[in-house]
Structures are given as structure tokens and as C-alpha cells.
Amino acid sequence: MSIAEARGPRLDALARVEGRDKVTGAATYAHEYPVDDVAYAWPVTATVAAGRVRAVDVEGALSEPGVRAVLWHANAPRLVDTGEALATVLQSAEVAYRGQLVALVVADTAEQARETASRLDVTYDSAPHDVTFSAESPALYTPQGGDEVTTTERDTAAAFGASPVQVAATYRTPPQHNCPMEPHATTAVWDGERLTVYDSTQGGHPVRATLAKAFGIDPDRVRVVARHVGGGFGAKGTPRPAVMLATLAAREVGRPVKIALTRQQLFDLVGYRTPTIQTVRLGADTDGRLRSICHESVEQTSTVEEFTEGATAATTMMYAAPHRHTAQRLVRLDVAVTSWMRAPGECPGMYALESAMDELAVATGIDPVELRIRNEPPVDPGTGAPFSSRHLVECLRLGAERFGWDGRDPRPRSSQIGGELVGTGMASSTYPVNVMPASARARAEPGGRFTVSINATDIGTGARTALLMLAAEALGTTPDAVRVRIGDTDLPRAWVAGGSTGTTSWGMAVTKACTELCSTLASRHPGGVTAEGVEVTVDIDDDIEAMSEVSRHAFGAQFVEVRVDSATGEIRVPRMTGVFAAGRIVNARTARSQLVGAMTMGLSMALHEEGVVDAAFGGFANHDLAGYSIATTADVGDIDVTWLDEDDDDVNPIGTKGVGEIGIVGTAAAIANAVYHATGVRVRDLPIRLDKVGVLGAASR
């Protein structure tokens, strides 16, 4: 029996199986695991943006009550280089950015550690720094894989120049921070040469591999537990400083160690979304059909590790055009390490592309929905491969119907209610579908019960519940007969919760294990399961290899209404509509939650979020939730979310595409386009603050 052959009826929706534990406080997070004789660690971070650490007053700090150790590069144990900047701690005198780790205080209580760390005397040899991000920087370079060219740049430029309608604009997005509810935290326990860490991570196996390599021990001696994780949005996708520091400190003092980074420390130590400067050039005929697309992105990266956001990736496959050119450039600055944030690449990239498409709609006088439909490609324009399924047009049409788009007056400033200008805007969404290797174990117990085990990580998405539903379906039983075990590297190996791959990758493994278990029971145990039980363990490596060569993407359409105060420029978003084609939706309840949450995060990106770099001193000036604004309940109006019943047999054996990220893609552009429709002011640099729309003149900015 194949993976795709479900044995039982499909469930449509199920409440989170861990929901009661979370709301009653019974769910245990990384910093909460009870251990005996625990010590606490507190990081000390650099107050200069470049230079070297010359000295640390270790002796003075050790004289403080309860202090057990003060570690810095001169006395910290040497670790094997893992090649991961965010996981490399206290190994060098070099300071690459303000806020970098330079020392660690370990004490009997968290209060003692924090107080001593706040007064630790660190001496620096400072050096000049450069934190200014500019598209004109002479240090710009092309990263490995940074150019994605379908036709040549020269041909694309010529096609643009010959086009009757031309749109050329530059769009800017600022640094943006992940801000998960649970900070990065770890409890580390050494038992001889065996290590157990309770970590707030999106995937235990990469943490285990990195710890094993860094500390020179066998991976089988490392156990990583992450049963409950309070969000990550990419910031916990690879090992981050907390787990390395706790492990290092625990070995040094010979006691278990707990660490929890502060909200302020998260802004520098765990990664963030790079700022972008994106130039988009669209050449089209008067009927709106594209002749050329050029999308170029400039991004910053740190001096210690290169990271490319991939902002132009979606442009290679989104719309039909005979000529296209995409390119990315990076500049190394004395800034913190950039990394993943929800929908890396597609999120800022589609803001630029979909804003430019709206400008093309204005230039041609064509409705924005119709413009996108006219440029629908028959195959993936970047690769020529057929799509496993592509229902963007259906999303556009259903979204327009649900939102009430028809009859919209396209003229800016054409609608006003009282003192508020009313505008509507829309944008398309997309996100790629990937499958990562995974393995799972299914066990039949006496009495008709089952246990399914896989080292998946539920970061608040409802993964545990979705896997339970898939397992029950494949086993032909009810959910209450199945127990799902996740979040522990003692369980079968699985990829991280990231890239919208979780339900697909883990779900394929779970479904396969349960299907094979049923076959085993039918052929070898027709009389029932004995006290020892029956189990099978599988992986999906061969299944991934056998998948067809098609272009796999989820799609969506987002529509928003904004209201802008005509006197102050204050912007409100009373309603948003999102329609998505994301393959099979396993659990309607948690899927809706993911899409609503992502659209809310996109609203936050459009109107609120902006990391501000201090040019004089380096680092982020607004490194807390008082200075770094994010959307709250009062900022969010009605969000109408739905999806198509998309049956895609080619995308993967269980037909899923993932919903964790696509909801944020396109939201910011839809809001920006609506603000233009309301005010006549085209704001091309996020966030859209009231000072940017000003007193609502008609000039573009």
C-alpha cells in the first residue's frame, strides 16, 4: 500500500491536543524543566561595534556573592569550529558588532548572575565601524548563487526600453525582528560525557549535531528535548547562542545551568531579517501583458557570516514574461548576523514585486486583479517545468468576490467616510513547497491503541495535532486511540519546523509508518497484537527521490481595506481577506490560525516594524518591544480567511503544501497598494508611518 492510500476517513478539524496543558501551565518549556543543584548564566554583550576585547575583570566578579564562573575568550574552553557564527561563542577577541557576546557570568541565582554581569568591567580596543546600509556602497558584491538569470540582463533591458508602458521603482524594507513569545532559553545537564539539553529550538537534530561537533563527543551521547516551543518564526531554526552558552557553562561549573536571553538580547544575538533595497522594472504592452521583468535586490550581511535573503526568488516564477533578469548584491557591515524570518525571501521580495504590479495597473488603467490574470504563465517561467498545481487565478477571483472588489473606483482618493479616506488594495502570494528527509516509528499496542514517534517540533503551529490526525487516518482508527510523541532526539530523526515543510515532511513519514504497520499487522499478526506490541520504522528518502520533476508552489490572493485619517495620516486596516491554494489542509482549525497569524504579521510589517540602527554607536537603537512596534489586538480588524479544496496528486504523496508562511507573503504589498488608493501617496519604504503620508498630498514618495 502506498503512502497516499489513506485507510480511514479524513478528519476536517481537531482542537490542539496540547491546548489544555498550555492554558493551564502544565506544558513545560525549555527554562522550566526541574533539575537539581542548578546554576544560572547571564550573557555580557559588547558595547562597541568593532574592535577587540582586551581584558575582563574576572577576579573582581568572582568575589561577588554566589558567582561561580566568569567566562570570556581568554579562559573559555576551546570548541571545535562548526562554521556557524550564531553558534560560535566566546572563542575570539574580535568584536564584529555591538551586542555581540563577550563574556558569561554563572552564579547560584539568576539575580546574582544578572547583577554581576551588569557591572562586569570589560576593556576594549575599539575600531572604526561601518553600519550604514546603502545601495551605493563600493563594497557591494554578488554572493554565491545570488544571480538567478533566465534571460540575459542585456536582453531584458532592451525589452524594457522598447516597452510602451514602463514602471521602474525602488522599494525598501527595514531590518525586522522575529520576536517570538518565548525567548531563546536552554537548560543544560551533563552526566559524565552524556549531555541533555532542554532547548527552545525549531529542530533538535541540528542542535544535537552542532553540540556534538563543537564539544567533540559522539552525537549518540547528546539528547535534545523540545516538547513545547513558544514560537520561533525562523529565529530558532539553527543552534543559537543560548544552547551553546548553557552547555559550555554547565561543563565548566559541573552543575546544570539554565539560561534565558532577555528580550533586548534577542535583537542582536539570534538573527533578524536583513533590510533590503529592491529595484523593480516592468516593461509591458498597453494591454498589461509583460514583456520584461527585472528585479534587483541589495541586502546587508555581517562580517562573520554571509546570509542571503533571496528576495528575488519568487519573481523568477510568478508571472509570464519573455525576458526576465534577477540579481542580488550584498554588503558586509559591522552588524549582527542576519538570518531566517518567516517566509525569508518571498516576504520582502513579493512586497516589491506586487507593489510594482500595482503601479503597472495604474499606468495601464487595468484592474489589478485582471492584470495578474493576464500574466498567468502556463508553466514555471524560470525553469520551464509544469506546476504540480497552480490555482492563483481561482484565488484572485474568489478573493475579489468575498471581499467585494467588483465595482471598485480605481481613482485614488475616490472614497471618504467622515474624516477618513478609504482605499482598497490587493496582492498575490506564493511560497515554494519543499520536502525534507524524515523518519517515523509506528507501534501497535495491545487493546487497539497506537503510538507514533517522530522528532518533529511543534512551535505553536499545531503540528502535534496534525500528525495525530494523519496517523489516525492511515491507521483507520480514531484520534483518541493514537498517542503522538515528538520533540526529542531519542525519537526518529526529522527536519526542523521551518520553510513550511513540517506537515509535509513529517506527515509523509508518519503516514508511511502507519500504512506499513497496518500491512504488517494484516499479514503477520492476524490474531492480534501480543503484549510485546508490533512496530515499524521508516524513512521517506526513497519517496522524495521518486517524486516527479514539477514546480511546487502554494498560491494565494490578499485583499485589504484601509482607512487613513485625512488630518493626521493615521492608518487603520478594518478588514482583510485571504484566499489560498495550499494543497490538502490537514486541520482546518490550526490552518486558519496559521493564516490569520501570518496575515497579522504582514500587517505588522506594513505599518509598524522597523529596526533602527544607531549609526554612531552601532547596534539597534530600539531593541525592545517598547521601541520596536509590532501589531497588537487593537491594530487588527476582521480577517476573512479561506482556501480552495486543492487536490494535488503531484505535489507529494499526501497532497500538502504548507500554510505556515504563505499568509505573510503579499500582505504588506496589499496594504501599501490600498494606502495609495486611499491617499494618492505611493509609499515605497516600509513601514508606512503617518509622517510618510503626511497631510495627504498627491505626490509619490
Side-chain angles (χ1 to χ4, degrees), residues 479-491:
D480 58 4
V482 182
R483 179 172 67 118
V484 172
R485 299 174 63 215
I486 65 170
D488 190 329
T489 54
D490 280 355
L491 305 176

Side-chain angles (χ1 to χ4, degrees), residues 309-336:
E309 178 73 10
T312 63
T315 302
T316 65
M317 51 65 60
M318 196 62 197
Y319 298 116
H323 300 284
R324 67 187 63 238
H325 173 75
T326 63
Q328 292 175 271
R329 303 289 185 270
L330 299 183
V331 57
R332 294 188 183 274
L333 298 174
D334 300 311
V335 296

Side-chain angles (χ1 to χ4, degrees), residues 339-424:
S339 189
W340 302 332
M341 186 170 167
R342 196 173 198 167
E346 279 75 13
C347 181
M350 284 289 282
Y351 159 68
L353 177 62
E354 291 300 289
S355 295
M357 287 293 286
D358 195 71
E359 298 204 44
L360 180 62
V362 172
T364 57
I366 299 170
D367 178 82
V369 173
E370 175 60 26
L371 177 70
R372 287 162 174 80
I373 293 173
R374 291 185 187 184
N375 286 286
E376 177 72 0
V379 296
D380 186 323
T383 65
F387 290 102
S388 68
S389 62
R390 179 180 169 118
H391 294 110
L392 174 59
V393 171
E394 291 89 333
C395 290
L396 291 166
R397 288 177 171 152
L398 180 57
E401 178 184 340
R402 291 176 71 99
F403 183 78
W405 183 265
D406 290 347
R408 169 186 185 261
D409 188 335
R411 296 172 300 166
R413 302 179 66 121
S414 58
S415 178
Q416 186 165 348
I417 299 176
E420 294 181 320
L421 298 177
V422 180
T424 53

Side-chain angles (χ1 to χ4, degrees), residues 52 65 105 224 229 249 278 337 355-356 380 414 420 446 455 459 479 559 579 599 619 628 638:
R52 294 175 60 86
V105 176
V224 181
V229 179
Q278 302 177 63
V337 177
S355 295
D380 186 323
S414 58
E420 294 181 320
N455 187 33
I459 58 175
F559 296 77
V579 178
M599 290 174 67
Y628 183 84
D638 178 67

Side-chain angles (χ1 to χ4, degrees), residues 41 135 180 273 302 326 358 373 396 423 467 485 555 591 642 649 652 658:
R273 198 192 302 278
S302 71
T326 63
D358 195 71
I373 293 173
L396 291 166
L467 294 178
R485 299 174 63 215
F555 294 93
T642 192
D649 294 331
N652 55 62

Side-chain angles (χ1 to χ4, degrees), residues 41 132-133 157 199 207 264 409 445 504 514 550 567 604 644 669:
T132 303
F133 177 52
D199 191 36
V207 173
Q264 291 84 356
D409 188 335
E445 313 281 2
T504 295
C514 292
V550 294
S604 190
L644 306 180

Side-chain angles (χ1 to χ4, degrees), residues 307-615:
F307 180 85
T308 305
E309 178 73 10
T312 63
T315 302
T316 65
M317 51 65 60
M318 196 62 197
Y319 298 116
H323 300 284
R324 67 187 63 238
H325 173 75
T326 63
Q328 292 175 271
R329 303 289 185 270
L330 299 183
V331 57
R332 294 188 183 274
L333 298 174
D334 300 311
V335 296
V337 177
T338 55
S339 189
W340 302 332
M341 186 170 167
R342 196 173 198 167
E346 279 75 13
C347 181
M350 284 289 282
Y351 159 68
L353 177 62
E354 291 300 289
S355 295
M357 287 293 286
D358 195 71
E359 298 204 44
L360 180 62
V362 172
T364 57
I366 299 170
D367 178 82
V369 173
E370 175 60 26
L371 177 70
R372 287 162 174 80
I373 293 173
R374 291 185 187 184
N375 286 286
E376 177 72 0
V379 296
D380 186 323
T383 65
F387 290 102
S388 68
S389 62
R390 179 180 169 118
H391 294 110
L392 174 59
V393 171
E394 291 89 333
C395 290
L396 291 166
R397 288 177 171 152
L398 180 57
E401 178 184 340
R402 291 176 71 99
F403 183 78
W405 183 265
D406 290 347
R408 169 186 185 261
D409 188 335
R411 296 172 300 166
R413 302 179 66 121
S414 58
S415 178
Q416 186 165 348
I417 299 176
E420 294 181 320
L421 298 177
V422 180
T424 53
M426 59 78 55
S428 297
S429 303
T430 190
Y431 200 73
V433 180
N434 294 303
V435 182
M436 305 303 294
S439 54
R441 181 167 58 246
R443 179 179 178 83
E445 313 281 2
R449 301 192 63 82
F450 302 89
T451 299
V452 175
S453 303
I454 182 172
N455 187 33
T457 311
D458 193 331
I459 58 175
T461 58
R464 185 184 271 103
T465 308
L467 294 178
L468 174 65
M469 295 171 70
L470 288 170
E473 175 187 302
L475 292 165
T477 189
T478 56
D480 58 4
V482 182
R483 179 172 67 118
V484 172
R485 299 174 63 215
I486 65 170
D488 190 329
T489 54
D490 280 355
L491 305 176
R493 183 185 186 93
W495 184 244
V496 302
S500 295
T501 63
T503 299
T504 295
S505 305
W506 310 329
M508 281 177 58
V510 164
T511 300
K512 182 177 183 180
C514 292
T515 300
E516 292 198 9
L517 177 62
C518 288
S519 297
T520 300
L521 292 174
S523 62
R524 302 180 188 176
H525 302 272
V529 178
T530 63
E532 292 76 20
V534 178
E535 69 178 34
V536 298
T537 301
V538 304
D539 65 53
I540 58 169
D541 294 5
D542 292 341
D543 303 278
I544 295 173
E545 186 69 25
M547 289 168 61
S548 57
E549 295 293 328
V550 294
S551 183
R552 297 173 169 87
H553 297 267
F555 294 93
Q558 303 205 31
F559 296 77
V560 303
E561 175 188 315
V562 302
R563 299 194 179 190
V564 185
D565 190 294
S566 59
T568 67
E570 182 181 8
I571 303 166
R572 294 288 182 183
V573 182
R575 62 189 183 104
M576 299 193 290
T577 295
V579 178
F580 301 94
R584 177 189 174 186
I585 302 300
V586 175
N587 188 352
R589 291 180 68 161
T590 52
R592 182 183 184 280
S593 175
Q594 283 295 290
L595 293 168
V596 168
M599 290 174 67
T600 300
M601 201 167 174
L603 181 154
S604 190
M605 171 186 176
L607 301 181
H608 301 282
E609 298 191 36
E610 180 180 21
V612 179
V613 176
D614 188 324

Side-chain angles (χ1 to χ4, degrees), residues 141-285:
Y141 70 98
T142 300
Q144 184 70 30
D147 275 337
E148 302 167 3
V149 183
T150 303
T151 56
T152 67
E153 183 176 6
R154 180 180 299 175
D155 289 345
T156 303
F160 174 79
S163 297
V165 183
Q166 301 174 2
V167 168
T170 298
Y171 306 90
R172 293 175 168 83
T173 61
Q176 295 161 353
H177 297 270
N178 307 62
C179 298
M181 184 178 293
E182 181 198 17
H184 291 63
T186 305
T187 300
V189 183
W190 284 95
D191 181 8
E193 283 300 301
R194 293 191 175 275
L195 170 66
T196 299
V197 295
Y198 304 93
D199 191 36
S200 184
T201 177
Q202 290 176 228
H205 273 96
V207 173
R208 185 177 79 165
T210 298
L211 288 171
K213 182 175 181 179
F215 288 89
I217 57 178
D218 192 297
D220 290 340
R221 294 180 177 269
V222 181
R223 181 187 182 195
V224 181
V225 178
R227 295 193 183 100
H228 298 283
V229 179
F233 308 114
K236 300 173 184 176
T238 57
R240 303 297 155 109
V243 69
M244 307 303 294
L245 291 171
T247 303
L248 189 71
R251 171 168 271 190
E252 185 70 11
V253 301
R255 295 166 57 183
V257 168
K258 290 179 181 285
I259 186 172
L261 300 184
T262 67
R263 183 64 59 185
Q264 291 84 356
Q265 290 165 349
L266 297 186
F267 280 75
D268 296 309
L269 293 179
V270 301
Y272 59 96
R273 198 192 302 278
T274 180
T276 70
I277 302 172
Q278 302 177 63
T279 299
V280 180
R281 299 179 183 86
L282 303 178
D285 293 323

